[in-house]
Amino acid sequence: MATVDLFAIGNALIDQEFKVSDDFLIQQHLQKGTMQLTDGETQADLYKKLKETQSYKGQASGGSAANTTVAFSALGGSAFYACRVGNDELGQTYLNGLHEAGIKNTEKSISEGVTGTCMVLVSEDSERTMHTYLGITAELTEQQIDFEPLKTAKWLYIEGYLSTSDSARLAVKQAREIAKAHGVKIALTLSDPAMVQYARHGLDEMIADGVDLLFCNQQEAMMYTETETVEAALAKLKTLSQHVVITLSAEGALISNAQETFNVAGRKVHAIDANGAGDAFAGAFLYAVNAGLGLHRAAQLAILISSEVVSQFGPRLAVADYAELFQQLQKECA
């Protein structure tokens, strides 16, 4: 297996996006801005209500770590994505999306079962609320993962949503052991406030004795550290990770390590859909750091890419758009 820069592990989900009203979220007892796990029958019932009363915006391949890996690959990095899909039409659609973005995968990812789906409900204020049926990805195990590319990778990237699955956490544990044995740096994202609230023990287990790079947003940071300010949260998170990146929505991001702490301003855009923005931020940041561009330039690129994702429907940009935005930033900074 060819060497890759990034080896990522995460859920494989097909997104179904809808523009919804806040009243609809309240009626369906959905907590705005979070991800809620469900079963197939309940999701099917919600899908029917959505189609009848809300505005359908389309289907896209998603999954948090996959969105990150697409951004990383589209910017010029080489990547492998470890996941599990069903032997069905949606599963093939999902894998085709990875291949079109130049991401390596293994046939081990395909198994009997139903590919996971996520109802992405986008409010008028661009906030995304997710209702997820994991399908076969809920049973991701080490048997679906080819760990060989990890041994020569530069980074291992772990999706926080895996914290809800016992088998996935075991696979992550094995991946961490391999990464440490081969000098591969480890990055992890907390993923969602709901993971911090309901799967804290799983996140603790995956972070284990620490990581090299931790991504989270402001709400996740304060919830996870049980603090009331970003500054206090940052101080605690720095005991778990050599580098900490806290996204601050439209205000940009806070980046810190043992040598420096700094803010990078956000970009003013017309926000339409926040789905996938944090994922794209992580992918662009990782690409820039891996390419030796430094933390400041990495944050600038991440903010540029993620702000463009927010400006459209769907969790990903067209593959060619990532590189074009990178070229735009290089010209601006020249």
Side-chain angles (χ1 to χ4, degrees), residues 10 17 75 85 150 152 155 157 161 172 180 230 232:
E17 286 216 317
L75 284 165
V85 298
L150 175 58
T152 53
W155 287 91
Y157 183 75
Y161 287 119
V172 167
K180 285 184 173 292
V230 175

Side-chain angles (χ1 to χ4, degrees), residues 105-142:
N105 190 251
T106 173
E107 291 186 1
K108 289 183 178 181
S109 292
I110 306 172
S111 56
E112 292 303 317
V114 178
T115 299
T117 49
C118 178
M119 301 296 110
V120 181
L121 316 182
V122 183
S123 311
E124 288 295 332
D125 60 0
S126 80
E127 184 62 87
R128 96 288 184 269
T129 303
M130 297 183 292
H131 192 259
T132 303
Y133 170 52
L134 291 173
I136 199 67
T137 197
E139 301 167 21
L140 175 65
T141 69
E142 58 190 65

Side-chain angles (χ1 to χ4, degrees), residues 9 17 51 58 92 96 125-126 142 148 151-152 157 172 179 183 198 210-211 251 254 260 276 296 299 310-311 313 318:
I9 304 177
E17 286 216 317
K51 291 286 281 187
Q92 194 56 57
N96 287 343
D125 60 0
S126 80
E142 58 190 65
E148 282 303 309
K151 296 176 182 178
T152 53
Y157 183 75
V172 167
Y198 300 114
V211 296
E251 300 304 313
L254 176 65
E260 59 181 336
H296 289 262
V310 169
S311 303
F313 276 104

Side-chain angles (χ1 to χ4, degrees), residues 151-192:
K151 296 176 182 178
T152 53
K154 304 296 194 318
W155 287 91
L156 164 64
Y157 183 75
I158 304 165
E159 174 186 305
Y161 287 119
L162 298 177
S163 59
T164 63
S165 168
D166 293 341
S167 61
R169 292 199 308 274
L170 287 174
V172 167
K173 181 180 179 181
Q174 182 171 345
R176 282 182 57 95
E177 291 172 353
I178 293 171
K180 285 184 173 292
H182 291 84
V184 180
K185 294 180 180 178
I186 302 173
L188 181 143
T189 173
L190 296 185
S191 289
D192 193 280

Side-chain angles (χ1 to χ4, degrees), residues 15 17 61-68 71 120 122 126-128 130 161 191 273-283 302 305-310 312-317 322:
D15 290 349
E17 286 216 317
S61 294
S64 175
N67 297 334
T68 295
V120 181
V122 183
S126 80
E127 184 62 87
R128 96 288 184 269
M130 297 183 292
Y161 287 119
S191 289
D273 177 7
N275 182 34
D279 307 330
F281 183 104
I305 296 289
S306 59
S307 66
E308 289 297 315
V309 172
V310 169
Q312 54 145 50
F313 276 104
R316 303 174 186 172
L317 302 175
Y322 296 92

